[in-house]
Amino acid sequence: MSNAQAFTTSAMPLDQQVVLITGAGRGVGSSIAKAFAHEESALVINYRYSVEAAEELAEAVRARGGRAVAVEADVTDSRAVDAMFRTAQEEFGAPVSTVVNNALVDFSFNGDERQPADEIDFSDFTDQFRGAVGAALNTVQAAMSGFRKIGSGRVINIGSNLVQNPVVPYHDYTAAKAALLSLTRTFAKDLGPSGVRVNMVSGGLLRTTDASSATPEEVFDQIAAQTPLGHVTTPEEFASAVVFFASPASRAVTGQNLVVDNGLVMD
């Protein structure tokens, strides 16, 4: 591939991309999907249980002239992931060019109900590792044939600022996100020669998603008071940063972790 061709594929415009977002039927995944829809990307809206919400989101995108399909798949199952990528190829006639690993194994951010260090079982860790690292491994491996076909690819993993600042010690969740950050960097190193960029966007507590709905209002207010910008990040603000890593503007960026939390953590 010539230098000019490499530049063109790495700088693929968002309106020419097929973007697959895991766990996009609800929560921050839905906000990420809407942000890409605004950029006229074709969307693969992955869900596991939220069929009505995912179908409604896909229909809303299509009603505005966009391209979207909702696809059920358990992203911890490699065979289901492979089938999802085949569905995406058939639907849009082009390979997936960007993967957003957002899906989260069932988890509630409620510090009062978390498992303390002297009680938590290793099975809790394995559940979170399977949902974070295992799912990302499945989607990246399934995407690689398409990435090679188009000469580039973009992987955006969703992390957490709890890795840098475990203000609430969610041991299993935070350990899994730390492992996903490591995978982000090692995959960036290994896949870079194939034109694949791998980055992470890490949020803090978002105001408000399904996962953070159990968080008391006073906790949101306390966190807002600690940030330089004086408020808690919204799902829409977070989604904008995710879109950046898929856009031509980030074509020279890989192996990075962007913390999007209004300055609470400065790493």
Side-chain angles (χ1 to χ4, degrees):
M1 182 181 296
S2 68
N3 289 338
Q5 289 173 317
F7 177 86
T8 300
T9 55
S10 66
M12 181 182 288
L14 288 165
D15 62 2
Q16 295 179 20
Q17 292 199 40
V18 178
V19 180
L20 186 151
I21 305 138
T22 68
R26 59 189 179 91
V28 68
S30 177
S31 295
I32 293 169
K34 292 173 184 176
F36 277 108
H38 181 74
E39 300 295 337
E40 301 182 0
S41 304
L43 301 180
V44 182
I45 299 168
N46 163 254
Y47 68 94
R48 185 175 183 190
Y49 300 120
S50 305
V51 55
E52 292 185 5
E55 292 286 2
E56 288 175 5
L57 177 57
E59 178 57 34
V61 171
R62 293 192 294 264
R64 294 193 298 269
R67 298 166 292 162
V69 61
V71 184
E72 187 277 332
D74 175 358
V75 289
T76 67
D77 180 342
S78 62
R79 291 172 297 183
V81 170
D82 290 341
M84 175 170 60
F85 275 79
R86 289 194 296 271
T87 298
Q89 172 75 46
E90 293 166 2
E91 178 72 20
F92 298 115
V96 169
S97 59
T98 291
V99 172
V100 181
N101 286 310
N102 165 74
L104 174 66
V105 172
D106 293 339
F107 196 85
S108 176
F109 293 95
N110 185 337
D112 293 335
E113 296 182 1
R114 71 177 183 84
Q115 293 277 57
D118 57 346
E119 295 179 12
I120 194 167
D121 189 83
F122 189 67
S123 63
D124 296 304
F125 287 86
T126 56
D127 287 344
Q128 290 300 316
F129 274 93
R130 181 172 52 86
V133 177
L137 178 64
N138 289 339
T139 59
V140 173
Q141 290 181 340
M144 282 307 300
S145 62
F147 286 170
R148 291 190 175 102
K149 182 177 181 179
I150 62 180
S152 68
R154 288 139 290 271
V155 177
I156 304 151
N157 295 324
I158 303 304
S160 172
N161 70 354
L162 290 171
V163 173
Q164 289 79 21
N165 180 32
V167 58
V168 178
Y170 298 110
H171 307 293
D172 46 352
Y173 171 83
T174 304
K177 290 299 186 181
L180 185 59
L181 174 56
S182 176
L183 192 79
T184 298
R185 290 171 172 160
T186 58
F187 271 33
K189 179 71 172 179
D190 204 29
L191 300 179
S194 297
V196 179
R197 298 187 289 105
V198 187
N199 291 289
M200 174 176 275
V201 180
S202 293
L205 188 65
L206 299 180
R207 195 172 200 170
T208 308
T209 66
D210 292 345
S212 66
S213 61
T215 302
E217 277 298 308
E218 57 267 24
V219 174
F220 284 115
D221 294 340
Q222 290 168 5
I223 291 175
Q226 295 175 45
T227 69
L229 295 178
H231 74 280
V232 175
T233 308
T234 67
E236 292 74 22
E237 290 168 336
F238 185 81
S240 295
V242 175
V243 171
F244 163 74
F245 277 120
S247 75
S250 66
R251 60 187 176 272
V253 183
T254 195
Q256 302 304 309
N257 178 32
L258 177 62
V259 180
V260 181
D261 63 1
N262 283 281
L264 180 66
V265 172
M266 297 187 182
D267 182 23

Short mmCIF file of all heavy atoms in Angstrom, two decimals, residues 134-196:
data_model
loop_
_atom_site.label_atom_id
_atom_site.label_comp_id
_atom_site.label_asym_id
_atom_site.label_seq_id
_atom_site.Cartn_x
_atom_site.Cartn_y
_atom_site.Cartn_z
N GLY A 134 -12.72 -10.38 27.55
CA GLY A 134 -13.16 -11.44 26.65
C GLY A 134 -13.98 -10.91 25.49
O GLY A 134 -13.78 -11.31 24.34
N ALA A 135 -14.91 -10.02 25.77
CA ALA A 135 -15.76 -9.47 24.72
C ALA A 135 -14.94 -8.64 23.73
O ALA A 135 -15.15 -8.72 22.51
CB ALA A 135 -16.86 -8.62 25.33
N ALA A 136 -14.00 -7.85 24.24
CA ALA A 136 -13.17 -7.04 23.35
C ALA A 136 -12.30 -7.93 22.45
O ALA A 136 -12.12 -7.64 21.26
CB ALA A 136 -12.29 -6.10 24.16
N LEU A 137 -11.78 -8.99 23.02
CA LEU A 137 -10.99 -9.92 22.22
C LEU A 137 -11.84 -10.50 21.09
O LEU A 137 -11.41 -10.56 19.93
CB LEU A 137 -10.46 -11.03 23.12
CG LEU A 137 -9.66 -12.15 22.44
CD1 LEU A 137 -8.38 -11.59 21.84
CD2 LEU A 137 -9.34 -13.25 23.44
N ASN A 138 -13.07 -10.88 21.41
CA ASN A 138 -13.95 -11.45 20.39
C ASN A 138 -14.25 -10.47 19.26
O ASN A 138 -14.19 -10.82 18.08
CB ASN A 138 -15.26 -11.90 21.03
CG ASN A 138 -15.11 -13.13 21.90
OD1 ASN A 138 -14.16 -13.89 21.77
ND2 ASN A 138 -16.05 -13.32 22.82
N THR A 139 -14.58 -9.24 19.61
CA THR A 139 -14.96 -8.28 18.58
C THR A 139 -13.77 -7.87 17.71
O THR A 139 -13.90 -7.73 16.49
CB THR A 139 -15.60 -7.03 19.18
OG1 THR A 139 -14.70 -6.39 20.09
CG2 THR A 139 -16.90 -7.36 19.90
N VAL A 140 -12.62 -7.68 18.32
CA VAL A 140 -11.44 -7.29 17.53
C VAL A 140 -11.05 -8.41 16.58
O VAL A 140 -10.77 -8.17 15.39
CB VAL A 140 -10.26 -6.90 18.45
CG1 VAL A 140 -9.00 -6.66 17.62
CG2 VAL A 140 -10.60 -5.65 19.25
N GLN A 141 -11.03 -9.63 17.06
CA GLN A 141 -10.66 -10.74 16.20
C GLN A 141 -11.66 -10.91 15.06
O GLN A 141 -11.28 -11.20 13.92
CB GLN A 141 -10.51 -12.02 17.02
CG GLN A 141 -9.29 -11.98 17.93
CD GLN A 141 -9.11 -13.25 18.75
OE1 GLN A 141 -10.04 -14.02 18.94
NE2 GLN A 141 -7.89 -13.46 19.24
N ALA A 142 -12.94 -10.72 15.34
CA ALA A 142 -13.96 -10.83 14.29
C ALA A 142 -13.85 -9.70 13.28
O ALA A 142 -14.20 -9.87 12.10
CB ALA A 142 -15.35 -10.83 14.92
N ALA A 143 -13.37 -8.55 13.72
CA ALA A 143 -13.27 -7.38 12.83
C ALA A 143 -12.05 -7.41 11.93
O ALA A 143 -12.02 -6.71 10.91
CB ALA A 143 -13.23 -6.10 13.67
N MET A 144 -11.04 -8.21 12.26
CA MET A 144 -9.75 -8.09 11.59
C MET A 144 -9.80 -8.38 10.09
O MET A 144 -9.11 -7.71 9.31
CB MET A 144 -8.71 -8.98 12.25
CG MET A 144 -8.14 -8.40 13.55
SD MET A 144 -7.50 -6.71 13.40
CE MET A 144 -6.21 -6.94 12.17
N SER A 145 -10.59 -9.33 9.65
CA SER A 145 -10.62 -9.60 8.20
C SER A 145 -11.14 -8.38 7.45
O SER A 145 -10.63 -8.03 6.38
CB SER A 145 -11.48 -10.82 7.90
OG SER A 145 -12.83 -10.62 8.30
N GLY A 146 -12.15 -7.73 8.00
CA GLY A 146 -12.67 -6.51 7.38
C GLY A 146 -11.69 -5.36 7.45
O GLY A 146 -11.53 -4.60 6.49
N PHE A 147 -11.02 -5.21 8.58
CA PHE A 147 -10.01 -4.16 8.71
C PHE A 147 -8.91 -4.34 7.65
O PHE A 147 -8.48 -3.37 7.02
CB PHE A 147 -9.36 -4.22 10.10
CG PHE A 147 -10.23 -3.71 11.23
CD1 PHE A 147 -9.83 -3.90 12.55
CD2 PHE A 147 -11.43 -3.06 11.00
CE1 PHE A 147 -10.61 -3.44 13.60
CE2 PHE A 147 -12.22 -2.60 12.05
CZ PHE A 147 -11.80 -2.79 13.35
N ARG A 148 -8.49 -5.58 7.46
CA ARG A 148 -7.43 -5.83 6.46
C ARG A 148 -7.93 -5.53 5.05
O ARG A 148 -7.18 -5.05 4.20
CB ARG A 148 -6.92 -7.26 6.59
CG ARG A 148 -6.14 -7.51 7.88
CD ARG A 148 -5.44 -8.87 7.88
NE ARG A 148 -4.60 -9.01 9.06
CZ ARG A 148 -4.91 -9.71 10.13
NH1 ARG A 148 -6.09 -10.35 10.18
NH2 ARG A 148 -4.09 -9.80 11.15
N LYS A 149 -9.20 -5.81 4.81
CA LYS A 149 -9.76 -5.58 3.49
C LYS A 149 -9.76 -4.09 3.14
O LYS A 149 -9.45 -3.71 2.00
CB LYS A 149 -11.18 -6.14 3.43
CG LYS A 149 -11.84 -5.99 2.06
CD LYS A 149 -13.21 -6.63 2.05
CE LYS A 149 -13.86 -6.50 0.67
NZ LYS A 149 -15.21 -7.15 0.65
N ILE A 150 -10.11 -3.25 4.12
CA ILE A 150 -10.17 -1.82 3.84
C ILE A 150 -8.84 -1.11 4.13
O ILE A 150 -8.67 0.06 3.80
CB ILE A 150 -11.31 -1.13 4.61
CG1 ILE A 150 -11.11 -1.25 6.13
CG2 ILE A 150 -12.64 -1.67 4.19
CD1 ILE A 150 -12.21 -0.59 6.94
N GLY A 151 -7.90 -1.82 4.76
CA GLY A 151 -6.58 -1.27 5.00
C GLY A 151 -6.45 -0.45 6.26
O GLY A 151 -5.42 0.20 6.48
N SER A 152 -7.47 -0.47 7.10
CA SER A 152 -7.41 0.27 8.36
C SER A 152 -8.53 -0.20 9.27
O SER A 152 -9.44 -0.90 8.84
CB SER A 152 -7.53 1.79 8.13
OG SER A 152 -8.84 2.11 7.68
N GLY A 153 -8.46 0.22 10.52
CA GLY A 153 -9.52 -0.09 11.47
C GLY A 153 -9.37 0.77 12.70
O GLY A 153 -8.28 1.27 13.00
N ARG A 154 -10.46 0.92 13.41
CA ARG A 154 -10.47 1.72 14.63
C ARG A 154 -11.19 0.94 15.72
O ARG A 154 -12.33 0.49 15.52
CB ARG A 154 -11.19 3.05 14.38
CG ARG A 154 -10.43 4.05 13.53
CD ARG A 154 -11.33 4.77 12.54
NE ARG A 154 -11.75 3.85 11.50
CZ ARG A 154 -11.05 3.66 10.37
NH1 ARG A 154 -9.96 4.34 10.13
NH2 ARG A 154 -11.47 2.79 9.46
N VAL A 155 -10.52 0.75 16.85
CA VAL A 155 -11.12 0.09 18.01
C VAL A 155 -11.12 1.09 19.15
O VAL A 155 -10.07 1.68 19.46
CB VAL A 155 -10.34 -1.17 18.42
CG1 VAL A 155 -10.94 -1.79 19.68
CG2 VAL A 155 -10.30 -2.18 17.27
N ILE A 156 -12.27 1.29 19.76
CA ILE A 156 -12.40 2.22 20.88
C ILE A 156 -12.97 1.44 22.06
O ILE A 156 -14.13 0.99 22.01
CB ILE A 156 -13.29 3.41 20.52
CG1 ILE A 156 -12.76 4.12 19.27
CG2 ILE A 156 -13.36 4.39 21.70
CD1 ILE A 156 -13.81 4.80 18.45
N ASN A 157 -12.17 1.26 23.07
CA ASN A 157 -12.59 0.55 24.27
C ASN A 157 -13.08 1.55 25.31
O ASN A 157 -12.50 2.63 25.48
CB ASN A 157 -11.43 -0.27 24.83
CG ASN A 157 -11.00 -1.37 23.89
OD1 ASN A 157 -11.82 -1.99 23.21
ND2 ASN A 157 -9.69 -1.64 23.83
N ILE A 158 -14.12 1.19 26.00
CA ILE A 158 -14.69 2.08 27.01
C ILE A 158 -14.14 1.68 28.38
O ILE A 158 -14.31 0.55 28.84
CB ILE A 158 -16.22 2.02 27.01
CG1 ILE A 158 -16.76 2.37 25.63
CG2 ILE A 158 -16.78 2.97 28.08
CD1 ILE A 158 -16.29 3.72 25.08
N GLY A 159 -13.43 2.63 29.01
CA GLY A 159 -12.79 2.38 30.29
C GLY A 159 -13.42 3.17 31.42
O GLY A 159 -14.57 3.62 31.33
N SER A 160 -12.66 3.34 32.48
CA SER A 160 -13.17 4.03 33.66
C SER A 160 -12.05 4.78 34.36
O SER A 160 -10.93 4.27 34.47
CB SER A 160 -13.78 3.01 34.64
OG SER A 160 -14.11 3.64 35.87
N ASN A 161 -12.36 5.97 34.86
CA ASN A 161 -11.37 6.72 35.63
C ASN A 161 -11.15 6.13 37.02
O ASN A 161 -10.26 6.57 37.75
CB ASN A 161 -11.74 8.21 35.72
CG ASN A 161 -12.95 8.48 36.60
OD1 ASN A 161 -13.63 7.57 37.07
ND2 ASN A 161 -13.24 9.76 36.80
N LEU A 162 -11.93 5.12 37.38
CA LEU A 162 -11.69 4.43 38.65
C LEU A 162 -10.35 3.72 38.66
O LEU A 162 -9.79 3.46 39.73
CB LEU A 162 -12.81 3.42 38.93
CG LEU A 162 -14.19 4.01 39.28
CD1 LEU A 162 -15.23 2.91 39.32
CD2 LEU A 162 -14.14 4.76 40.61
N VAL A 163 -9.81 3.42 37.48
CA VAL A 163 -8.48 2.80 37.40
C VAL A 163 -7.44 3.76 37.95
O VAL A 163 -6.51 3.36 38.65
CB VAL A 163 -8.15 2.40 35.96
CG1 VAL A 163 -6.71 1.93 35.82
CG2 VAL A 163 -9.12 1.33 35.47
N GLN A 164 -7.59 5.05 37.64
CA GLN A 164 -6.65 6.06 38.13
C GLN A 164 -7.02 6.57 39.51
O GLN A 164 -6.14 6.98 40.28
CB GLN A 164 -6.61 7.26 37.15
CG GLN A 164 -5.94 6.99 35.83
CD GLN A 164 -6.84 6.24 34.86
OE1 GLN A 164 -8.05 6.25 35.00
NE2 GLN A 164 -6.23 5.59 33.88
N ASN A 165 -8.30 6.55 39.83
CA ASN A 165 -8.76 7.15 41.08
C ASN A 165 -9.92 6.32 41.63
O ASN A 165 -11.08 6.67 41.43
CB ASN A 165 -9.21 8.60 40.83
CG ASN A 165 -9.70 9.28 42.09
OD1 ASN A 165 -9.23 9.00 43.18
ND2 ASN A 165 -10.65 10.20 41.93
N PRO A 166 -9.63 5.22 42.35
CA PRO A 166 -10.70 4.34 42.84
C PRO A 166 -11.43 4.94 44.03
O PRO A 166 -11.39 4.40 45.16
CB PRO A 166 -9.94 3.06 43.20
CG PRO A 166 -8.57 3.53 43.56
CD PRO A 166 -8.29 4.70 42.65
N VAL A 167 -12.11 6.05 43.77
CA VAL A 167 -12.79 6.76 44.84
C VAL A 167 -13.82 5.86 45.53
O VAL A 167 -14.05 5.95 46.73
CB VAL A 167 -13.44 8.06 44.30
CG1 VAL A 167 -14.43 7.77 43.18
CG2 VAL A 167 -14.10 8.84 45.42
N VAL A 168 -14.44 4.99 44.77
CA VAL A 168 -15.27 3.91 45.32
C VAL A 168 -14.61 2.61 44.88
O VAL A 168 -14.46 2.39 43.68
CB VAL A 168 -16.72 3.96 44.83
CG1 VAL A 168 -17.52 2.80 45.40
CG2 VAL A 168 -17.36 5.30 45.20
N PRO A 169 -14.18 1.75 45.80
CA PRO A 169 -13.42 0.56 45.42
C PRO A 169 -14.29 -0.59 44.90
O PRO A 169 -14.53 -1.58 45.60
CB PRO A 169 -12.69 0.18 46.71
CG PRO A 169 -13.55 0.72 47.81
CD PRO A 169 -14.21 1.94 47.27
N TYR A 170 -14.76 -0.44 43.65
CA TYR A 170 -15.44 -1.55 42.98
C TYR A 170 -14.35 -2.48 42.45
O TYR A 170 -13.85 -2.31 41.34
CB TYR A 170 -16.30 -1.03 41.83
CG TYR A 170 -17.42 -0.11 42.23
CD1 TYR A 170 -17.38 1.24 41.90
CD2 TYR A 170 -18.54 -0.59 42.91
CE1 TYR A 170 -18.42 2.09 42.24
CE2 TYR A 170 -19.57 0.26 43.27
CZ TYR A 170 -19.51 1.60 42.92
OH TYR A 170 -20.54 2.44 43.27
N HIS A 171 -13.95 -3.45 43.24
CA HIS A 171 -12.74 -4.23 42.95
C HIS A 171 -12.80 -4.96 41.62
O HIS A 171 -11.86 -4.90 40.81
CB HIS A 171 -12.50 -5.23 44.09
CG HIS A 171 -12.49 -4.60 45.43
ND1 HIS A 171 -11.51 -3.72 45.84
CD2 HIS A 171 -13.35 -4.72 46.48
CE1 HIS A 171 -11.76 -3.32 47.07
NE2 HIS A 171 -12.86 -3.91 47.49
N ASP A 172 -13.88 -5.69 41.38
CA ASP A 172 -13.98 -6.52 40.18
C ASP A 172 -14.09 -5.68 38.92
O ASP A 172 -13.38 -5.90 37.93
CB ASP A 172 -15.15 -7.49 40.30
CG ASP A 172 -16.44 -6.82 40.79
OD1 ASP A 172 -16.41 -5.64 41.20
OD2 ASP A 172 -17.49 -7.51 40.79
N TYR A 173 -14.96 -4.70 38.94
CA TYR A 173 -15.16 -3.83 37.77
C TYR A 173 -13.88 -3.08 37.42
O TYR A 173 -13.46 -3.03 36.26
CB TYR A 173 -16.30 -2.85 38.08
CG TYR A 173 -16.47 -1.76 37.04
CD1 TYR A 173 -17.19 -1.99 35.88
CD2 TYR A 173 -15.91 -0.50 37.25
CE1 TYR A 173 -17.35 -0.99 34.94
CE2 TYR A 173 -16.06 0.51 36.30
CZ TYR A 173 -16.78 0.26 35.15
OH TYR A 173 -16.93 1.26 34.22
N THR A 174 -13.23 -2.51 38.42
CA THR A 174 -12.04 -1.69 38.18
C THR A 174 -10.87 -2.54 37.69
O THR A 174 -10.12 -2.14 36.80
CB THR A 174 -11.66 -0.92 39.45
OG1 THR A 174 -12.78 -0.15 39.88
CG2 THR A 174 -10.49 0.01 39.20
N ALA A 175 -10.71 -3.73 38.26
CA ALA A 175 -9.64 -4.61 37.80
C ALA A 175 -9.84 -5.00 36.34
O ALA A 175 -8.88 -5.08 35.56
CB ALA A 175 -9.58 -5.86 38.68
N ALA A 176 -11.08 -5.25 35.94
CA ALA A 176 -11.36 -5.62 34.56
C ALA A 176 -11.07 -4.45 33.62
O ALA A 176 -10.52 -4.65 32.52
CB ALA A 176 -12.81 -6.07 34.42
N LYS A 177 -11.40 -3.24 34.02
CA LYS A 177 -11.12 -2.08 33.17
C LYS A 177 -9.62 -1.81 33.09
O LYS A 177 -9.11 -1.36 32.05
CB LYS A 177 -11.86 -0.86 33.71
CG LYS A 177 -13.37 -0.92 33.54
CD LYS A 177 -13.78 -1.02 32.09
CE LYS A 177 -15.29 -0.93 31.91
NZ LYS A 177 -15.71 -1.04 30.49
N ALA A 178 -8.89 -2.08 34.16
CA ALA A 178 -7.43 -1.93 34.11
C ALA A 178 -6.84 -2.93 33.13
O ALA A 178 -5.91 -2.61 32.36
CB ALA A 178 -6.84 -2.14 35.51
N ALA A 179 -7.36 -4.15 33.13
CA ALA A 179 -6.90 -5.15 32.18
C ALA A 179 -7.24 -4.74 30.75
O ALA A 179 -6.44 -4.95 29.82
CB ALA A 179 -7.51 -6.51 32.50
N LEU A 180 -8.41 -4.13 30.56
CA LEU A 180 -8.80 -3.68 29.23
C LEU A 180 -7.89 -2.55 28.75
O LEU A 180 -7.58 -2.46 27.55
CB LEU A 180 -10.26 -3.22 29.24
CG LEU A 180 -10.85 -2.82 27.90
CD1 LEU A 180 -10.79 -3.98 26.90
CD2 LEU A 180 -12.29 -2.35 28.07
N LEU A 181 -7.44 -1.70 29.66
CA LEU A 181 -6.47 -0.66 29.29
C LEU A 181 -5.16 -1.29 28.83
O LEU A 181 -4.57 -0.85 27.83
CB LEU A 181 -6.22 0.27 30.48
CG LEU A 181 -5.13 1.33 30.30
CD1 LEU A 181 -5.41 2.21 29.08
CD2 LEU A 181 -5.02 2.18 31.56
N SER A 182 -4.70 -2.31 29.51
CA SER A 182 -3.49 -3.01 29.09
C SER A 182 -3.68 -3.62 27.71
O SER A 182 -2.81 -3.51 26.84
CB SER A 182 -3.15 -4.10 30.11
OG SER A 182 -2.03 -4.85 29.68
N LEU A 183 -4.84 -4.25 27.48
CA LEU A 183 -5.13 -4.83 26.18
C LEU A 183 -5.16 -3.75 25.09
O LEU A 183 -4.70 -3.98 23.97
CB LEU A 183 -6.47 -5.56 26.23
CG LEU A 183 -6.79 -6.45 25.03
CD1 LEU A 183 -6.04 -7.77 25.15
CD2 LEU A 183 -8.29 -6.72 24.94
N THR A 184 -5.68 -2.59 25.43
CA THR A 184 -5.71 -1.48 24.48
C THR A 184 -4.31 -1.17 23.97
O THR A 184 -4.07 -1.00 22.77
CB THR A 184 -6.31 -0.23 25.16
OG1 THR A 184 -7.66 -0.50 25.55
CG2 THR A 184 -6.27 0.97 24.24
N ARG A 185 -3.36 -1.12 24.88
CA ARG A 185 -2.00 -0.73 24.51
C ARG A 185 -1.26 -1.85 23.80
O ARG A 185 -0.53 -1.60 22.83
CB ARG A 185 -1.25 -0.26 25.76
CG ARG A 185 -1.80 1.08 26.24
CD ARG A 185 -1.27 1.51 27.58
NE ARG A 185 -1.70 2.89 27.87
CZ ARG A 185 -1.73 3.43 29.07
NH1 ARG A 185 -1.37 2.71 30.14
NH2 ARG A 185 -2.13 4.67 29.25
N THR A 186 -1.42 -3.09 24.26
CA THR A 186 -0.72 -4.18 23.58
C THR A 186 -1.30 -4.44 22.20
O THR A 186 -0.56 -4.71 21.24
CB THR A 186 -0.74 -5.47 24.42
OG1 THR A 186 -2.10 -5.87 24.68
CG2 THR A 186 -0.02 -5.27 25.75
N PHE A 187 -2.62 -4.33 22.05
CA PHE A 187 -3.22 -4.50 20.73
C PHE A 187 -2.84 -3.35 19.81
O PHE A 187 -2.64 -3.55 18.60
CB PHE A 187 -4.74 -4.60 20.86
CG PHE A 187 -5.25 -6.01 21.05
CD1 PHE A 187 -4.51 -6.94 21.76
CD2 PHE A 187 -6.47 -6.40 20.55
CE1 PHE A 187 -4.96 -8.24 21.95
CE2 PHE A 187 -6.94 -7.69 20.71
CZ PHE A 187 -6.18 -8.62 21.42
N ALA A 188 -2.73 -2.14 20.35
CA ALA A 188 -2.29 -1.01 19.52
C ALA A 188 -0.90 -1.27 18.95
O ALA A 188 -0.63 -0.98 17.78
CB ALA A 188 -2.30 0.28 20.35
N LYS A 189 -0.04 -1.83 19.77
CA LYS A 189 1.32 -2.14 19.33
C LYS A 189 1.32 -3.24 18.28
O LYS A 189 2.00 -3.15 17.25
CB LYS A 189 2.15 -2.58 20.55
CG LYS A 189 3.59 -2.96 20.24
CD LYS A 189 4.42 -1.75 19.90
CE LYS A 189 5.90 -2.12 19.79
NZ LYS A 189 6.74 -0.95 19.43
N ASP A 190 0.54 -4.29 18.51
CA ASP A 190 0.55 -5.45 17.63
C ASP A 190 -0.17 -5.21 16.31
O ASP A 190 0.23 -5.72 15.27
CB ASP A 190 -0.09 -6.63 18.36
CG ASP A 190 0.37 -7.98 17.84
OD1 ASP A 190 1.50 -8.07 17.34
OD2 ASP A 190 -0.40 -8.94 17.94
N LEU A 191 -1.25 -4.42 16.33
CA LEU A 191 -2.09 -4.24 15.16
C LEU A 191 -1.78 -2.98 14.38
O LEU A 191 -2.30 -2.78 13.27
CB LEU A 191 -3.57 -4.24 15.56
CG LEU A 191 -4.06 -5.53 16.25
CD1 LEU A 191 -5.53 -5.40 16.62
CD2 LEU A 191 -3.84 -6.74 15.36
N GLY A 192 -0.94 -2.12 14.93
CA GLY A 192 -0.57 -0.89 14.23
C GLY A 192 -0.06 -1.11 12.82
O GLY A 192 -0.47 -0.39 11.88
N PRO A 193 0.83 -2.08 12.59
CA PRO A 193 1.33 -2.31 11.23
C PRO A 193 0.23 -2.68 10.23
O PRO A 193 0.44 -2.56 9.02
CB PRO A 193 2.32 -3.47 11.42
CG PRO A 193 2.80 -3.32 12.83
CD PRO A 193 1.59 -2.87 13.59
N SER A 194 -0.93 -3.13 10.71
CA SER A 194 -2.06 -3.44 9.84
C SER A 194 -2.97 -2.23 9.65
O SER A 194 -4.05 -2.36 9.03
CB SER A 194 -2.87 -4.61 10.41
OG SER A 194 -2.09 -5.78 10.47
N GLY A 195 -2.57 -1.08 10.18
CA GLY A 195 -3.37 0.13 10.04
C GLY A 195 -4.50 0.24 11.03
O GLY A 195 -5.43 1.03 10.84
N VAL A 196 -4.44 -0.54 12.10
CA VAL A 196 -5.50 -0.54 13.11
C VAL A 196 -5.09 0.29 14.30
O VAL A 196 -4.04 0.05 14.90
CB VAL A 196 -5.84 -1.99 13.55
CG1 VAL A 196 -6.94 -1.97 14.62
CG2 VAL A 196 -6.26 -2.82 12.35
#
